[in-house]
Amino acid sequence: GVSGNFSFYQQDYSFNQDGSLMIKMVDYDIAAYVQGHLFGYKAFLDPFVELGLGRMATDYANKDDDPDPDNPLLATNYWQIGAGLGLNFGAIGIFGKVLYMTPFGSPAKGTMNIYDVNGNVTGQTTYDLARYPLKKLKVFLGGKLIL
């Protein structure tokens, strides 16, 4: 499966922190995972385990505000492992799950163009992004459609 969670908010970028320069921001969490279902994913009682890879990041919500639209401000790649329990009622189900997350690999990379004095691109450079402050646990309560 694939999951995506997004949080939109405004952050104060003014020097005096007086609210005069509020910028729209977004945090996102994208993950790909596999699940193993003890009794099958359509069973009424559906305990399962999950293993996956994901990325949490922070960026500007509007591209017009973003000086580097190809890269987020913060990013952390992580792996997750966890378990959950679902109750299925025909084609509709509810579930809860708890996932343990830990960062993997080196910091996420960003790239930017290098320009000459005339504004022409002369190359690219790669740099480490600041890490997103990853929590150790994620808890989900949700619903699902069983096709």
Side-chain angles (χ1 to χ4, degrees):
V2 176
S3 67
N5 300 293
F6 301 87
S7 174
F8 294 91
Y9 57 96
Q10 291 194 17
Q11 188 166 330
D12 188 355
Y13 275 87
S14 63
F15 181 74
N16 294 325
Q17 295 293 292
D18 59 5
S20 62
L21 183 59
M22 300 301 287
I23 304 291
K24 292 181 183 177
M25 305 296 290
V26 61
D27 289 349
Y28 60 89
D29 176 8
I30 306 293
Y33 58 87
V34 294
Q35 290 181 338
H37 295 261
L38 186 62
F39 305 132
Y41 70 94
K42 292 184 178 183
F44 170 72
L45 187 61
D46 180 20
F48 60 90
V49 294
E50 182 172 312
L51 179 65
L53 299 172
R55 180 179 192 150
M56 282 194 190
T58 295
D59 205 358
Y60 294 94
N62 296 323
K63 295 296 180 195
D64 293 340
D65 296 327
D66 195 343
D68 186 10
D70 294 331
N71 301 297
L73 293 172
L74 308 171
T76 298
N77 298 322
Y78 65 88
W79 67 269
Q80 64 187 22
I81 188 168
L85 178 64
L87 296 174
N88 298 320
F89 307 97
I92 296 181
I94 58 173
F95 68 91
K97 65 181 175 180
V98 176
L99 299 170
Y100 173 80
M101 301 180 308
T102 189
F104 77 88
S106 31
K109 303 286 186 193
T111 58
M112 67 180 178
N113 291 331
I114 300 171
Y115 298 92
D116 64 17
V117 294
N118 298 319
N120 299 314
V121 176
T122 60
Q124 281 194 328
T125 185
T126 302
Y127 60 95
D128 293 342
L129 296 174
R131 287 193 185 270
Y132 185 91
L134 190 68
K135 302 271 187 197
K136 292 291 182 186
L137 290 177
K138 269 197 265 190
V139 177
F140 286 90
L141 297 173
K144 61 182 178 178
L145 292 174
I146 302 170
L147 304 176

